[in-house]
Amino acid sequence: MKQSYVYILTNKNNTVLYNGVTSNLTKRMYQHKLKSFKGFATKYNCEKLVYFETLDSIEMAIDREKQIKNYKRYKKIDLIEKENPKWKDLSDGWLFYFD
C-alpha cells in the first residue's frame, strides 16, 4: 500500500479553507503553488498548507477527506489549531524537485 494524504489549504488571510487528497503531498503542493489546475484552490488563492494527515492508502485518505469536508468550519479550525496553532505554511522550505 502507498501512503496517502488528506490536507487543508488556506489563503494568506486564512479566510478560505480547501480540503484535498493526494498520494504525493510534496508534488501536489508544488502544483498548488504554481496554480497548475484551475479550480477552487486557484480561484481563492489557497496555497498555504496548514494541516495534513498521513494515511495508509488512498482509499483511507479519500474516506477521511469526505469526513473532513462534512465538518463545519469551526471543527476544521479545531483540527488545524491542535497541530498548527499559528497557521504557519507547513510546506515552507520544502524542496520541489521532480523527474
Side-chain angles (χ1 to χ4, degrees):
M1 280 191 264
K2 186 174 182 179
Q3 281 190 329
S4 295
Y5 306 87
V6 61
Y7 60 92
I8 301 175
L9 302 179
T10 191
N11 59 358
K12 69 178 182 176
N13 296 319
N14 303 331
T15 56
V16 179
L17 298 177
Y18 170 83
N19 304 11
V21 64
T22 184
S23 60
N24 186 332
L25 187 57
T26 305
K27 184 175 182 178
R28 189 68 182 111
M29 286 309 305
Y30 177 73
Q31 292 166 335
H32 278 298
K33 290 185 185 292
L34 287 179
K35 299 186 182 338
S36 297
F37 303 106
K38 303 300 178 214
F40 184 92
T42 298
K43 180 178 179 180
Y44 293 100
N45 297 309
C46 295
E47 61 179 49
K48 186 166 86 169
L49 178 66
V50 290
Y51 179 83
F52 69 92
E53 294 178 24
T54 305
L55 295 114
D56 290 333
S57 70
I58 194 68
E59 294 82 12
M60 290 174 69
I62 290 167
D63 288 344
R64 180 65 173 141
E65 179 197 26
K66 288 177 184 176
Q67 183 181 36
I68 292 171
K69 279 188 177 194
N70 286 322
Y71 285 176
K72 297 214 180 279
R73 182 177 174 83
Y74 77 88
K75 195 165 180 180
K76 293 177 189 179
I77 290 170
D78 285 346
L79 271 180
I80 294 164
E81 291 186 344
K82 282 181 186 172
E83 300 295 323
N84 186 7
K86 296 188 181 198
W87 291 60
K88 293 182 180 180
D89 185 347
L90 301 174
S91 69
D92 270 354
W94 288 11
L95 300 176
F96 299 113
Y97 296 107
F98 303 99
D99 294 330

